[in-house]
Amino acid sequence: MLFRSVATAMVGIAASQVAARRPRTSMRALAEIGSVKLNLVGGKATPAPPVGPALGQFGVNIAMFVKEYNAMTADKAGQVCPVVLHVFNDKSFSLELKTPPTAELLHKAVGAKGGSGKAGTMIIGTIDIDKLREIATIKLPDLNCEDVERAMKIVHGTAVASGITVDGYEGWLKTIFPPPATILDRYGPTSAGL
């Protein structure tokens, strides 16, 4: 009987030592409670509006966000770098950097400060098809298409809305997407192509 109580006491001591070595923080699943998209200048974010009010509603540490954002965009100083901030239920966050806005890239290419305001009548500049391809390649990760040709069509739409003309676009458009002779040429004769 004495042996059993000593053995039980030894097991109790060993169990308490193991419990003392275990980490005291519990693991729990994180759930996203919100997200905020901000257009900020790379490397120059401050806690002032629009950052402070946007993040304050979620209780996020604004100073940590500013420090992390400025570190991530230090090489893009002066450019507008959109960021999506995902906020979790324990007040932690993750940052997702996006590419610069298309209009910003187009305005920089023609040397204008902003769009025309009268897209159909007032032209602020002209770019060539190679510059359009370059901008489309930059924007491709954020667009909902997978090839550069379709990305170029999307960027061209933004250029027209900003009052920028693209030299050689109509000729390029005829060569890159030739119209099909029949509907079967477009989709094929099988139901799998539909």
Side-chain angles (χ1 to χ4, degrees):
M1 179 103 169
L2 179 64
F3 178 72
R4 182 181 291 175
S5 64
V6 171
T8 307
M10 294 296 282
V11 169
I13 292 172
S16 65
Q17 288 175 347
V18 169
R21 284 184 269 161
R22 262 189 251 145
R24 295 183 185 265
T25 58
S26 62
M27 301 297 284
R28 63 179 177 186
L30 293 178
E32 184 176 339
I33 59 172
S35 64
V36 179
K37 183 174 182 183
L38 299 168
N39 287 335
L40 304 172
V41 178
K44 296 183 180 179
T46 62
V51 175
L55 303 186
Q57 64 183 341
F58 294 109
V60 174
N61 187 342
I62 298 169
M64 287 300 294
F65 165 76
V66 169
K67 183 178 178 183
E68 192 171 333
Y69 176 79
N70 287 339
M72 289 174 73
T73 59
D75 58 335
K76 300 172 186 161
Q79 291 182 358
V80 175
C81 298
V83 62
V84 178
L85 176 83
H86 301 281
V87 182
F88 301 104
N89 57 358
D90 65 343
K91 307 294 186 220
S92 64
F93 59 87
S94 68
L95 300 178
E96 179 185 355
L97 286 179
K98 299 287 188 179
T99 57
T102 307
E104 189 82 21
L105 294 172
L106 288 167
H107 297 157
K108 188 175 179 182
V110 297
K113 291 185 180 181
S116 69
K118 297 180 181 178
T121 57
M122 195 169 97
I123 304 299
I124 61 169
T126 304
I127 60 173
D128 59 352
I129 200 75
D130 294 329
K131 190 66 176 177
L132 184 73
R133 181 180 301 277
E134 179 184 331
I135 293 172
T137 305
I138 293 169
K139 287 297 295 180
L140 190 60
D142 287 345
L143 296 176
N144 60 355
C145 60
E146 296 179 3
D147 56 349
V148 177
E149 288 79 19
R150 284 175 175 76
M152 288 172 69
K153 288 181 70 174
I154 294 171
V155 172
H156 179 260
T158 305
V160 169
S162 294
I164 299 171
T165 58
V166 180
D167 286 338
Y169 180 76
E170 296 301 324
W172 170 82
L173 193 59
K174 289 178 184 174
T175 61
I176 199 68
F177 299 114
T182 67
I183 191 96
L184 292 177
D185 290 341
R186 176 177 283 185
Y187 297 110
T190 64
S191 63
L194 296 176

